[in-house]
Amino acid sequence: MVRYAEPGVVEWVESGGGPLIAVPETVLPFWAGADGEETASDYDRACEVDGQAGLLPVGDGTALVLGDEPAATAYLPGHGLFVRWCAADSEEDVLASVPSAAATAAWGPELTWQVPGPVRLFDAAWPGTGLTGADQVRVALEPGTYAVGAARVQPGPETWLDLVRLRLVAPR
């Protein structure tokens, strides 16, 4: 986990070059990351997801893969967004541009994600059982069905963001 602002304000997760994944806490032990006995690891499956967001089965649940860019990513609960920092001069520039970027984004087709509760966001190469505080961020989601949409936005000449919006459509 990387902090660019004051500690505890915004927590960013970075990857070693592959996708990030949001795995429900209830199925974390079933995510093997790049480890495993299978010919295609969980990490390989995550790398095969096309585009900015996709869903993968994990145990008896489903994880959200944030693909396309290995960008530093934070979840902003007040906006219901994963914000992926593709290019910007500072965290301040990224965070200041989020409200207008989200309001004007051209959202792609939505996915439907069943979420049993909190998820952990981390580099898809890590196994779910080997996470430490520095490797991941806990995202406290309410149980229910979420519509997930993604958009690439350029809110300024030197600022590019990927946004992944979570919209609770059916609380449980």
Short mmCIF file of all heavy atoms in Angstrom, two decimals, residues 117-170:
data_model
loop_
_atom_site.label_atom_id
_atom_site.label_comp_id
_atom_site.label_asym_id
_atom_site.label_seq_id
_atom_site.Cartn_x
_atom_site.Cartn_y
_atom_site.Cartn_z
N GLY A 117 -20.37 -8.85 1.20
CA GLY A 117 -19.91 -7.93 2.25
C GLY A 117 -18.56 -7.36 1.88
O GLY A 117 -18.23 -7.26 0.69
N PRO A 118 -17.74 -7.01 2.86
CA PRO A 118 -16.45 -6.38 2.59
C PRO A 118 -15.57 -7.21 1.65
O PRO A 118 -15.62 -8.43 1.63
CB PRO A 118 -15.81 -6.28 3.97
CG PRO A 118 -16.95 -6.29 4.92
CD PRO A 118 -17.98 -7.18 4.30
N VAL A 119 -14.75 -6.48 0.86
CA VAL A 119 -13.80 -7.09 -0.06
C VAL A 119 -12.40 -6.56 0.25
O VAL A 119 -12.26 -5.54 0.92
CB VAL A 119 -14.16 -6.82 -1.54
CG1 VAL A 119 -15.55 -7.36 -1.87
CG2 VAL A 119 -14.06 -5.34 -1.89
N ARG A 120 -11.41 -7.27 -0.25
CA ARG A 120 -10.02 -6.83 -0.14
C ARG A 120 -9.50 -6.55 -1.54
O ARG A 120 -9.64 -7.39 -2.43
CB ARG A 120 -9.14 -7.90 0.52
CG ARG A 120 -9.56 -8.28 1.92
CD ARG A 120 -9.30 -7.16 2.91
NE ARG A 120 -9.84 -7.49 4.21
CZ ARG A 120 -9.14 -7.44 5.32
NH1 ARG A 120 -7.90 -7.05 5.32
NH2 ARG A 120 -9.72 -7.76 6.46
N LEU A 121 -8.91 -5.39 -1.73
CA LEU A 121 -8.31 -4.99 -3.00
C LEU A 121 -6.81 -5.22 -2.91
O LEU A 121 -6.17 -4.71 -1.99
CB LEU A 121 -8.61 -3.52 -3.29
CG LEU A 121 -7.98 -2.94 -4.56
CD1 LEU A 121 -8.59 -3.57 -5.80
CD2 LEU A 121 -8.12 -1.42 -4.58
N PHE A 122 -6.26 -5.99 -3.87
CA PHE A 122 -4.83 -6.29 -3.83
C PHE A 122 -4.34 -6.73 -5.21
O PHE A 122 -5.14 -6.96 -6.12
CB PHE A 122 -4.52 -7.35 -2.77
CG PHE A 122 -5.27 -8.65 -2.92
CD1 PHE A 122 -4.69 -9.74 -3.57
CD2 PHE A 122 -6.55 -8.80 -2.40
CE1 PHE A 122 -5.37 -10.94 -3.69
CE2 PHE A 122 -7.23 -10.01 -2.52
CZ PHE A 122 -6.64 -11.08 -3.18
N ASP A 123 -3.03 -6.87 -5.34
CA ASP A 123 -2.41 -7.36 -6.57
C ASP A 123 -2.85 -8.80 -6.78
O ASP A 123 -2.71 -9.63 -5.89
CB ASP A 123 -0.89 -7.27 -6.42
CG ASP A 123 -0.13 -7.62 -7.69
OD1 ASP A 123 -0.58 -8.50 -8.45
OD2 ASP A 123 0.94 -7.03 -7.90
N ALA A 124 -3.38 -9.11 -7.96
CA ALA A 124 -3.92 -10.44 -8.23
C ALA A 124 -2.87 -11.54 -8.14
O ALA A 124 -3.21 -12.71 -8.04
CB ALA A 124 -4.58 -10.46 -9.61
N ALA A 125 -1.59 -11.20 -8.14
CA ALA A 125 -0.54 -12.21 -8.03
C ALA A 125 -0.43 -12.78 -6.61
O ALA A 125 0.08 -13.88 -6.42
CB ALA A 125 0.81 -11.63 -8.44
N TRP A 126 -0.92 -12.04 -5.61
CA TRP A 126 -0.82 -12.49 -4.22
C TRP A 126 -1.91 -13.49 -3.88
O TRP A 126 -3.05 -13.33 -4.31
CB TRP A 126 -0.96 -11.30 -3.25
CG TRP A 126 0.20 -10.37 -3.29
CD1 TRP A 126 0.26 -9.18 -3.95
CD2 TRP A 126 1.46 -10.55 -2.65
NE1 TRP A 126 1.48 -8.60 -3.76
CE2 TRP A 126 2.24 -9.42 -2.97
CE3 TRP A 126 2.00 -11.55 -1.85
CZ2 TRP A 126 3.55 -9.27 -2.50
CZ3 TRP A 126 3.29 -11.39 -1.39
CH2 TRP A 126 4.05 -10.27 -1.72
N PRO A 127 -1.60 -14.50 -3.07
CA PRO A 127 -2.66 -15.38 -2.58
C PRO A 127 -3.49 -14.66 -1.52
O PRO A 127 -2.97 -13.83 -0.77
CB PRO A 127 -1.90 -16.57 -1.99
CG PRO A 127 -0.53 -16.05 -1.69
CD PRO A 127 -0.27 -14.94 -2.65
N GLY A 128 -4.76 -14.98 -1.45
CA GLY A 128 -5.65 -14.34 -0.48
C GLY A 128 -5.27 -14.60 0.96
O GLY A 128 -5.59 -13.80 1.84
N THR A 129 -4.58 -15.71 1.22
CA THR A 129 -4.19 -16.03 2.60
C THR A 129 -2.88 -15.39 3.00
O THR A 129 -2.52 -15.42 4.17
CB THR A 129 -4.06 -17.55 2.79
OG1 THR A 129 -3.12 -18.05 1.83
CG2 THR A 129 -5.40 -18.25 2.61
N GLY A 130 -2.14 -14.79 2.07
CA GLY A 130 -0.84 -14.23 2.39
C GLY A 130 -0.80 -12.72 2.46
O GLY A 130 0.27 -12.13 2.40
N LEU A 131 -1.95 -12.08 2.57
CA LEU A 131 -1.99 -10.62 2.56
C LEU A 131 -1.53 -10.04 3.89
O LEU A 131 -1.81 -10.58 4.95
CB LEU A 131 -3.41 -10.14 2.28
CG LEU A 131 -4.02 -10.58 0.95
CD1 LEU A 131 -5.47 -10.12 0.88
CD2 LEU A 131 -3.22 -10.04 -0.21
N THR A 132 -0.82 -8.92 3.79
CA THR A 132 -0.46 -8.16 4.99
C THR A 132 -1.12 -6.79 4.86
O THR A 132 -1.65 -6.44 3.81
CB THR A 132 1.07 -7.99 5.10
OG1 THR A 132 1.52 -7.15 4.03
CG2 THR A 132 1.79 -9.33 5.07
N GLY A 133 -1.04 -6.01 5.91
CA GLY A 133 -1.64 -4.67 5.89
C GLY A 133 -1.10 -3.79 4.78
O GLY A 133 -1.81 -2.96 4.24
N ALA A 134 0.16 -4.00 4.41
CA ALA A 134 0.78 -3.17 3.39
C ALA A 134 0.43 -3.59 1.97
O ALA A 134 0.67 -2.85 1.03
CB ALA A 134 2.30 -3.17 3.57
N ASP A 135 -0.12 -4.79 1.80
CA ASP A 135 -0.38 -5.33 0.46
C ASP A 135 -1.78 -5.06 -0.06
O ASP A 135 -2.05 -5.30 -1.23
CB ASP A 135 -0.22 -6.86 0.45
CG ASP A 135 1.17 -7.31 0.78
OD1 ASP A 135 2.12 -6.55 0.52
OD2 ASP A 135 1.30 -8.42 1.32
N GLN A 136 -2.67 -4.61 0.79
CA GLN A 136 -4.08 -4.58 0.41
C GLN A 136 -4.82 -3.48 1.13
O GLN A 136 -4.31 -2.89 2.07
CB GLN A 136 -4.70 -5.94 0.73
CG GLN A 136 -4.46 -6.45 2.15
CD GLN A 136 -5.41 -5.90 3.19
OE1 GLN A 136 -6.58 -5.71 2.91
NE2 GLN A 136 -4.91 -5.64 4.39
N VAL A 137 -6.04 -3.25 0.65
CA VAL A 137 -6.94 -2.29 1.30
C VAL A 137 -8.28 -2.98 1.46
O VAL A 137 -8.77 -3.65 0.56
CB VAL A 137 -7.11 -1.01 0.45
CG1 VAL A 137 -8.26 -0.15 0.95
CG2 VAL A 137 -5.83 -0.20 0.45
N ARG A 138 -8.87 -2.83 2.64
CA ARG A 138 -10.21 -3.37 2.89
C ARG A 138 -11.24 -2.35 2.42
O ARG A 138 -11.16 -1.16 2.75
CB ARG A 138 -10.39 -3.64 4.38
CG ARG A 138 -11.72 -4.29 4.72
CD ARG A 138 -11.75 -4.64 6.20
NE ARG A 138 -12.82 -5.56 6.49
CZ ARG A 138 -14.01 -5.19 6.97
NH1 ARG A 138 -14.27 -3.91 7.20
NH2 ARG A 138 -14.94 -6.09 7.21
N VAL A 139 -12.20 -2.82 1.62
CA VAL A 139 -13.28 -1.98 1.12
C VAL A 139 -14.58 -2.49 1.74
O VAL A 139 -15.00 -3.61 1.48
CB VAL A 139 -13.36 -2.02 -0.42
CG1 VAL A 139 -14.51 -1.18 -0.93
CG2 VAL A 139 -12.03 -1.57 -1.03
N ALA A 140 -15.17 -1.68 2.60
CA ALA A 140 -16.37 -2.07 3.34
C ALA A 140 -17.61 -1.86 2.48
O ALA A 140 -18.22 -0.80 2.50
CB ALA A 140 -16.47 -1.28 4.63
N LEU A 141 -17.97 -2.89 1.71
CA LEU A 141 -19.17 -2.82 0.87
C LEU A 141 -20.34 -3.46 1.60
O LEU A 141 -20.18 -4.46 2.30
CB LEU A 141 -18.94 -3.55 -0.45
CG LEU A 141 -17.89 -2.97 -1.38
CD1 LEU A 141 -17.76 -3.83 -2.63
CD2 LEU A 141 -18.21 -1.53 -1.75
N GLU A 142 -21.51 -2.88 1.40
CA GLU A 142 -22.74 -3.45 1.93
C GLU A 142 -23.09 -4.69 1.11
O GLU A 142 -22.95 -4.69 -0.12
CB GLU A 142 -23.84 -2.40 1.82
CG GLU A 142 -25.18 -2.83 2.32
CD GLU A 142 -26.23 -1.74 2.17
OE1 GLU A 142 -25.88 -0.55 2.13
OE2 GLU A 142 -27.41 -2.11 2.07
N PRO A 143 -23.57 -5.77 1.74
CA PRO A 143 -23.98 -6.94 0.97
C PRO A 143 -25.10 -6.58 0.00
O PRO A 143 -26.00 -5.81 0.33
CB PRO A 143 -24.48 -7.92 2.03
CG PRO A 143 -23.86 -7.47 3.30
CD PRO A 143 -23.71 -5.98 3.19
N GLY A 144 -25.01 -7.15 -1.21
CA GLY A 144 -26.06 -6.91 -2.18
C GLY A 144 -25.57 -7.07 -3.60
O GLY A 144 -24.48 -7.57 -3.86
N THR A 145 -26.39 -6.62 -4.53
CA THR A 145 -26.08 -6.68 -5.95
C THR A 145 -25.64 -5.29 -6.42
O THR A 145 -26.35 -4.31 -6.18
CB THR A 145 -27.32 -7.13 -6.76
OG1 THR A 145 -27.74 -8.41 -6.25
CG2 THR A 145 -27.01 -7.23 -8.24
N TYR A 146 -24.49 -5.25 -7.07
CA TYR A 146 -23.92 -4.00 -7.55
C TYR A 146 -23.87 -3.99 -9.08
O TYR A 146 -23.55 -5.01 -9.69
CB TYR A 146 -22.50 -3.80 -7.03
CG TYR A 146 -22.44 -3.44 -5.57
CD1 TYR A 146 -22.56 -4.42 -4.58
CD2 TYR A 146 -22.27 -2.12 -5.16
CE1 TYR A 146 -22.51 -4.09 -3.24
CE2 TYR A 146 -22.22 -1.79 -3.82
CZ TYR A 146 -22.34 -2.78 -2.86
OH TYR A 146 -22.30 -2.45 -1.53
N ALA A 147 -24.19 -2.85 -9.66
CA ALA A 147 -23.93 -2.61 -11.08
C ALA A 147 -22.53 -2.00 -11.13
O ALA A 147 -22.23 -1.05 -10.39
CB ALA A 147 -24.96 -1.65 -11.65
N VAL A 148 -21.68 -2.56 -11.95
CA VAL A 148 -20.29 -2.13 -12.07
C VAL A 148 -20.07 -1.57 -13.47
O VAL A 148 -20.28 -2.26 -14.46
CB VAL A 148 -19.31 -3.31 -11.84
CG1 VAL A 148 -17.87 -2.85 -11.97
CG2 VAL A 148 -19.56 -3.96 -10.48
N GLY A 149 -19.68 -0.31 -13.53
CA GLY A 149 -19.39 0.34 -14.82
C GLY A 149 -17.98 0.90 -14.80
O GLY A 149 -17.46 1.25 -13.74
N ALA A 150 -17.37 0.98 -15.97
CA ALA A 150 -16.00 1.51 -16.06
C ALA A 150 -15.93 2.58 -17.13
O ALA A 150 -16.68 2.56 -18.11
CB ALA A 150 -15.03 0.37 -16.37
N ALA A 151 -15.00 3.50 -16.93
CA ALA A 151 -14.78 4.57 -17.90
C ALA A 151 -13.34 5.07 -17.79
O ALA A 151 -12.77 5.10 -16.71
CB ALA A 151 -15.74 5.74 -17.64
N ARG A 152 -12.79 5.45 -18.92
CA ARG A 152 -11.50 6.14 -18.95
C ARG A 152 -11.82 7.60 -19.17
O ARG A 152 -12.58 7.95 -20.07
CB ARG A 152 -10.63 5.60 -20.07
CG ARG A 152 -9.34 6.42 -20.19
CD ARG A 152 -8.21 5.69 -20.82
NE ARG A 152 -7.79 4.61 -19.92
CZ ARG A 152 -7.14 3.54 -20.34
NH1 ARG A 152 -6.83 3.40 -21.60
NH2 ARG A 152 -6.78 2.61 -19.48
N VAL A 153 -11.24 8.46 -18.34
CA VAL A 153 -11.52 9.89 -18.43
C VAL A 153 -10.22 10.68 -18.46
O VAL A 153 -9.20 10.25 -17.94
CB VAL A 153 -12.40 10.37 -17.24
CG1 VAL A 153 -13.78 9.74 -17.29
CG2 VAL A 153 -11.75 10.04 -15.91
N GLN A 154 -10.29 11.84 -19.09
CA GLN A 154 -9.16 12.75 -19.13
C GLN A 154 -9.66 14.12 -18.67
O GLN A 154 -10.00 14.97 -19.46
CB GLN A 154 -8.55 12.84 -20.53
CG GLN A 154 -7.31 13.69 -20.55
CD GLN A 154 -6.66 13.77 -21.93
OE1 GLN A 154 -7.08 13.11 -22.87
NE2 GLN A 154 -5.66 14.61 -22.03
N PRO A 155 -9.70 14.30 -17.33
CA PRO A 155 -10.26 15.54 -16.81
C PRO A 155 -9.36 16.76 -16.98
O PRO A 155 -9.79 17.88 -16.73
CB PRO A 155 -10.49 15.23 -15.32
CG PRO A 155 -9.58 14.10 -15.03
CD PRO A 155 -9.38 13.34 -16.29
N GLY A 156 -8.12 16.57 -17.40
CA GLY A 156 -7.21 17.68 -17.63
C GLY A 156 -6.17 17.26 -18.66
O GLY A 156 -6.04 16.08 -18.98
N PRO A 157 -5.40 18.21 -19.18
CA PRO A 157 -4.44 17.88 -20.23
C PRO A 157 -3.37 16.88 -19.79
O PRO A 157 -2.86 16.14 -20.61
CB PRO A 157 -3.83 19.23 -20.60
CG PRO A 157 -4.21 20.17 -19.52
CD PRO A 157 -5.41 19.62 -18.83
N GLU A 158 -3.05 16.84 -18.53
CA GLU A 158 -2.01 15.94 -18.02
C GLU A 158 -2.58 14.89 -17.05
O GLU A 158 -1.81 14.25 -16.34
CB GLU A 158 -0.92 16.75 -17.30
CG GLU A 158 -0.23 17.78 -18.18
CD GLU A 158 0.58 17.14 -19.30
OE1 GLU A 158 1.18 16.08 -19.08
OE2 GLU A 158 0.59 17.72 -20.41
N THR A 159 -3.90 14.76 -17.02
CA THR A 159 -4.53 13.86 -16.06
C THR A 159 -5.42 12.86 -16.77
O THR A 159 -6.35 13.24 -17.49
CB THR A 159 -5.36 14.66 -15.03
OG1 THR A 159 -4.52 15.64 -14.40
CG2 THR A 159 -5.95 13.75 -13.96
N TRP A 160 -5.12 11.56 -16.56
CA TRP A 160 -5.94 10.47 -17.08
C TRP A 160 -6.26 9.54 -15.93
O TRP A 160 -5.39 9.19 -15.12
CB TRP A 160 -5.19 9.63 -18.13
CG TRP A 160 -4.96 10.32 -19.42
CD1 TRP A 160 -5.79 10.35 -20.49
CD2 TRP A 160 -3.80 11.07 -19.79
NE1 TRP A 160 -5.22 11.07 -21.52
CE2 TRP A 160 -3.99 11.52 -21.11
CE3 TRP A 160 -2.62 11.41 -19.13
CZ2 TRP A 160 -3.05 12.28 -21.78
CZ3 TRP A 160 -1.69 12.17 -19.79
CH2 TRP A 160 -1.92 12.60 -21.10
N LEU A 161 -7.52 9.14 -15.84
CA LEU A 161 -7.97 8.24 -14.79
C LEU A 161 -8.83 7.14 -15.40
O LEU A 161 -9.53 7.37 -16.38
CB LEU A 161 -8.84 8.99 -13.77
CG LEU A 161 -8.31 10.26 -13.14
CD1 LEU A 161 -9.40 10.92 -12.30
CD2 LEU A 161 -7.09 9.96 -12.31
N ASP A 162 -8.78 5.98 -14.79
CA ASP A 162 -9.78 4.96 -15.04
C ASP A 162 -10.66 4.96 -13.81
O ASP A 162 -10.17 4.97 -12.68
CB ASP A 162 -9.15 3.57 -15.22
CG ASP A 162 -8.55 3.38 -16.61
OD1 ASP A 162 -8.81 4.20 -17.50
OD2 ASP A 162 -7.82 2.38 -16.79
N LEU A 163 -11.96 4.97 -14.03
CA LEU A 163 -12.93 4.93 -12.94
C LEU A 163 -13.73 3.64 -13.05
O LEU A 163 -14.16 3.26 -14.15
CB LEU A 163 -13.88 6.12 -13.02
CG LEU A 163 -13.26 7.51 -13.01
CD1 LEU A 163 -14.34 8.58 -13.18
CD2 LEU A 163 -12.47 7.75 -11.73
N VAL A 164 -13.92 2.97 -11.93
CA VAL A 164 -14.79 1.80 -11.87
C VAL A 164 -15.84 2.11 -10.81
O VAL A 164 -15.52 2.22 -9.62
CB VAL A 164 -14.00 0.51 -11.56
CG1 VAL A 164 -14.96 -0.67 -11.48
CG2 VAL A 164 -12.93 0.27 -12.63
N ARG A 165 -17.07 2.28 -11.27
CA ARG A 165 -18.17 2.70 -10.40
C ARG A 165 -18.93 1.48 -9.88
O ARG A 165 -19.26 0.57 -10.63
CB ARG A 165 -19.11 3.61 -11.19
CG ARG A 165 -20.33 4.06 -10.44
CD ARG A 165 -21.20 4.96 -11.27
NE ARG A 165 -21.69 4.25 -12.45
CZ ARG A 165 -22.36 4.82 -13.43
NH1 ARG A 165 -22.60 6.11 -13.40
NH2 ARG A 165 -22.79 4.12 -14.45
N LEU A 166 -19.20 1.49 -8.58
CA LEU A 166 -20.03 0.47 -7.95
C LEU A 166 -21.33 1.14 -7.51
O LEU A 166 -21.31 2.07 -6.72
CB LEU A 166 -19.34 -0.14 -6.73
CG LEU A 166 -17.96 -0.76 -6.94
CD1 LEU A 166 -17.44 -1.34 -5.64
CD2 LEU A 166 -18.00 -1.81 -8.03
N ARG A 167 -22.43 0.63 -8.04
CA ARG A 167 -23.74 1.20 -7.72
C ARG A 167 -24.61 0.09 -7.15
O ARG A 167 -24.93 -0.89 -7.82
CB ARG A 167 -24.35 1.77 -9.01
CG ARG A 167 -25.46 2.72 -8.85
CD ARG A 167 -25.77 3.43 -10.17
NE ARG A 167 -25.81 2.56 -11.34
CZ ARG A 167 -26.86 1.83 -11.71
NH1 ARG A 167 -27.96 1.85 -11.00
NH2 ARG A 167 -26.82 1.07 -12.80
N LEU A 168 -24.95 0.22 -5.87
CA LEU A 168 -25.78 -0.79 -5.20
C LEU A 168 -27.19 -0.71 -5.78
O LEU A 168 -27.86 0.31 -5.68
CB LEU A 168 -25.80 -0.55 -3.68
CG LEU A 168 -26.58 -1.55 -2.85
CD1 LEU A 168 -25.98 -2.95 -2.95
CD2 LEU A 168 -26.59 -1.10 -1.38
N VAL A 169 -27.63 -1.81 -6.42
CA VAL A 169 -28.95 -1.81 -7.03
C VAL A 169 -29.95 -2.66 -6.27
O VAL A 169 -31.16 -2.47 -6.41
CB VAL A 169 -28.90 -2.26 -8.51
CG1 VAL A 169 -28.16 -1.21 -9.35
CG2 VAL A 169 -28.27 -3.63 -8.68
N ALA A 170 -29.46 -3.59 -5.44
CA ALA A 170 -30.37 -4.44 -4.65
C ALA A 170 -29.66 -4.84 -3.35
O ALA A 170 -28.89 -5.79 -3.33
CB ALA A 170 -30.79 -5.69 -5.43
#
